Amino acid sequence: QVQLAESGGGSVQAGGSLRLSCTASTYAYHRYCLAWFRQTPGKEREGLATIDTGTTLRAYADSVKGRFTISHSVAEKVLYLDLDSLNPEDTAMYFCAAASTLSGSCALTHSTYNYWGQGTQVTVSS
């Protein structure tokens, strides 16, 4: 069982930056897909970025490509998401997620992941 806990959310003005962190309690398997999602009320959870811990291969949604960066510290068991050039449309609850994998096929779909954090709120004002 992997427990995830996000931190680093907050309020920022448009054009600003934030770093989100997601700490894992343990890694019971050798290899994981790790990802960040976000959700606003009444909308589907949106996949933003994913990383394969085996290869460090990354993938991003078009909506955040070039502005957000996903990274991972194996030793510290911490997943990061650096958010730059924020705009009010980025306001949402941000979640980290994990799934053990053998193939490293890390999709940005909600159903891929079976471990989730509780979320951290990001609010961007204009």
Side-chain angles (χ1 to χ4, degrees):
Q1 186 79 5
V2 178
Q3 294 180 318
L4 303 173
E6 302 94 338
S7 61
S11 297
V12 64
Q13 289 193 321
S17 300
L18 282 173
R19 166 172 266 203
L20 306 183
S21 300
C22 171
T23 302
S25 59
T26 183
Y27 285 154
Y29 300 99
H30 176 66
R31 185 178 183 183
Y32 285 85
C33 291
L34 303 176
W36 287 96
F37 287 73
R38 67 185 178 189
Q39 190 170 24
T40 54
K43 291 191 176 180
E44 296 276 327
R45 196 165 288 193
E46 177 190 12
L48 303 176
T50 184
I51 185 168
D52 173 4
T53 63
T55 64
T56 71
L57 185 66
R58 297 164 173 82
Y60 295 91
D62 289 341
S63 59
V64 303
K65 197 173 294 183
R67 299 191 300 123
F68 292 6
T69 303
I70 190 170
S71 59
H72 177 244
S73 168
V74 175
E76 298 176 346
K77 297 194 292 291
V78 180
L79 177 70
Y80 299 101
L81 187 68
D82 290 302
L83 293 70
D84 296 313
S85 302
L86 285 162
N87 58 64
E89 290 69 39
D90 295 315
T91 295
M93 185 72 78
Y94 284 69
F95 299 88
C96 61
S100 61
T101 182
L102 296 176
S103 66
S105 179
C106 299
L108 274 174
T109 53
H110 182 276
S111 59
T112 297
Y113 300 88
N114 51 348
Y115 300 109
W116 291 87
Q118 294 299 306
T120 186
Q121 178 68 35
V122 172
T123 302
V124 185
S125 58
S126 56

